Amino acid sequence: MDKMRAMVLSECAVIETNPLKLTEIDRHKIERTNEILLKIEACGVCHSQLHGIEGDWKELGIPPQLPTVPGHEVVGKVVEVGSGVTKFKVGDRAGITPLLEACKECQYCKEGKEYLCESSIILGETLKGGYTEYVTVTEDFATKVPDSMKPEYAAPLFCAGITAYKAVKAAEPQTHKKIGIFGIGGVGHMAVQFAKVKDCDVIAFSRSQSHLDVAKRLGAIDAIQFSENQEEFLEKLKEKHGFLDAAIVFAPADIVTDTAIKAIKKGGMVVIATIGKNPSFVAFEEKTIRGTLIGSTKDMEEVIKTCDEKNIEVVSEVFPLEDANKVLKKLKDSEIEARAVLIP
């Protein structure tokens, strides 16, 4: 059996202890007629992987098994196809979102919301993950990537990109709608641009000045430093811009979600794209709180098309695969400007 290099997690632990170990594991091979084998060109490093590695989400069943190979936003080159594959040929480029597989038969799958499938298999939660050299996927859950897209550009689109796109879509964008984006990192910096494509007036919020600078450069009409002094923060916002029409929350902090709810107008909407406690709000204000989770295969195709046609910028830093622990530590310490990408 051929081998491949992989960063393997055998036990959840804080990233400072370097829990990911560079290991040789059996190379994945095509086992079904509808599968393709990708030689991975790049894998984005998502903050949610850090939570899984450090054991923060054990109560959610993440990771569902150990050992595991993390990494769930992958782009690569097709090096082999199953006998029944019609969508791809050897030499094509393709990407995979966190959704590695779904049943295609349940209510959610039939509604085009396969990412909600109860039987879904998630990339990066078994030995099939992106922090390695090869991975297999059925053709229906892979998306074609143009040859013009560099690996470090394309890989982050398959989690950060689709999450940002879907969150903006959920906020019901329209011309001059005032949308606040809370959290400008790997996901938020793309959400700023997707909202701008829809002619929204974007106001960005972050604790980090460097992230605010990125948001302004990418088209936000204003970028305001977030403060946990909620009363003072909201007063400053209202003086400058009034209430928001809608808000999107990417920052995984309950105080941010609570502030976003208070920052929108009556009848406004908050889209929550992170995990946290159930927020409270006054029903009589007719505000809407909506959750969002990645997106469908169709959404992913729209992301690729939009990025290709509108020249959406992906801010990324490239690192070798074996530096995964170091990269995740930098991410934990807010030392990554937007998205880190591992190159095997």
Side-chain angles (χ1 to χ4, degrees):
M1 183 75 171
D2 291 335
K3 299 289 184 179
M4 64 182 182
R5 296 156 56 247
M7 296 300 289
V8 178
L9 178 73
S10 297
E11 185 176 347
C12 291
V14 294
I15 202 65
E16 288 83 356
T17 63
N18 297 319
L20 297 174
K21 306 299 182 188
L22 185 62
T23 309
E24 281 204 339
I25 63 173
D26 290 341
R27 198 181 90 174
H28 299 306
K29 62 180 181 178
I30 289 176
E31 297 179 342
R32 292 173 288 181
T33 59
N34 63 342
E35 286 183 326
I36 61 175
L37 176 66
L38 288 183
K39 186 178 191 304
I40 295 173
E41 296 177 306
C43 180
V45 180
C46 182
H47 203 282
S48 66
Q49 298 283 262
L50 178 63
H51 288 295
I53 290 165
E54 294 197 321
D56 298 340
W57 290 352
K58 281 184 178 179
E59 71 277 7
L60 300 173
I62 299 172
Q65 69 180 65
L66 291 169
T68 189
V69 176
H72 61 215
E73 50 187 69
V74 165
V75 66
K77 187 161 284 189
V78 179
V79 294
E80 188 180 341
V81 298
S83 60
V85 170
T86 58
K87 184 176 172 183
F88 295 94
K89 64 182 185 301
V90 171
D92 286 346
R93 297 177 73 229
I96 316 171
T97 74
L99 182 64
L100 183 65
E101 205 165 313
C103 75
K104 300 177 70 174
E105 297 177 355
C106 70
Q107 172 187 350
Y108 301 116
C109 287
K110 288 178 179 178
E111 290 175 351
K113 298 179 180 179
E114 61 271 19
Y115 52 91
L116 297 177
C117 176
E118 300 284 359
S119 303
S120 63
I121 298 172
I122 306 302
L123 184 67
E125 293 189 356
T126 65
L127 286 177
K128 274 194 180 181
Y131 293 5
T132 185
E133 296 178 303
Y134 294 86
V135 68
T136 55
V137 60
T138 60
E139 64 176 337
D140 289 343
F141 291 94
T143 303
K144 287 188 176 181
V145 173
D147 287 336
S148 59
M149 286 187 177
K150 293 181 179 180
E152 62 269 27
Y153 177 97
L157 300 181
F158 283 84
C159 178
I162 192 171
T163 299
Y165 179 86
K166 178 78 177 316
V168 170
K169 187 176 177 181
E172 300 176 3
Q174 56 189 18
T175 299
H176 292 312
K177 186 168 186 175
K178 192 167 32 178
I179 296 183
I181 297 179
F182 289 77
I184 307 297
V187 182
H189 88 281
M190 284 191 249
V192 170
Q193 297 175 81
F194 286 130
K196 287 294 295 179
V197 165
K198 296 294 185 180
D199 295 322
C200 297
D201 295 332
V202 180
I203 303 169
F205 305 98
S206 175
R207 289 186 173 95
S208 164
Q209 186 58 50
S210 64
H211 288 172
L212 295 176
D213 293 342
V214 168
K216 284 283 283 185
R217 181 171 61 78
L218 295 176
I221 63 168
D222 199 2
I224 300 173
Q225 194 152 36
F226 183 81
S227 168
E228 292 193 8
N229 185 331
Q230 191 179 79
E231 187 176 339
E232 183 180 295
F233 173 82
L234 290 171
E235 190 60 38
K236 180 180 178 181
L237 172 63
K238 289 170 191 174
E239 281 179 11
K240 293 187 75 176
H241 300 288
F243 286 103
L244 302 171
D245 296 316
I248 303 172
V249 181
F250 296 116
D254 296 336
I255 181 62
V256 178
T257 302
D258 187 68
T259 302
I261 292 169
K262 290 181 170 66
I264 63 170
K265 68 182 183 182
K266 293 178 182 179
M269 180 188 296
V270 170
V271 176
I272 302 175
T274 184
I275 290 177
K277 295 178 182 176
N278 294 327
S280 60
F281 72 111
V282 179
F284 294 158
E285 292 183 344
E286 295 194 351
K287 295 178 180 180
T288 298
I289 297 177
R290 174 179 287 178
T292 184
L293 174 70
I294 54 168
S296 65
T297 305
K298 183 179 178 182
D299 288 325
M300 191 63 238
E301 290 171 352
E302 290 175 3
V303 169
I304 295 294
K305 184 173 185 289
T306 301
C307 290
D308 198 30
E309 293 178 353
K310 301 296 184 180
N311 295 316
I312 300 296
E313 184 176 340
V314 176
V315 179
S316 63
E317 299 174 53
V318 173
F319 300 87
L321 175 65
E322 54 269 26
D323 282 358
N325 288 302
K326 182 173 78 174
V327 173
L328 285 157
K329 177 65 166 62
K330 287 171 73 71
L331 188 64
K332 185 176 183 177
D333 294 339
S334 299
E335 294 175 1
I336 299 294
E337 187 177 31
R339 208 57 160 186
V341 176
L342 298 176
I343 305 292

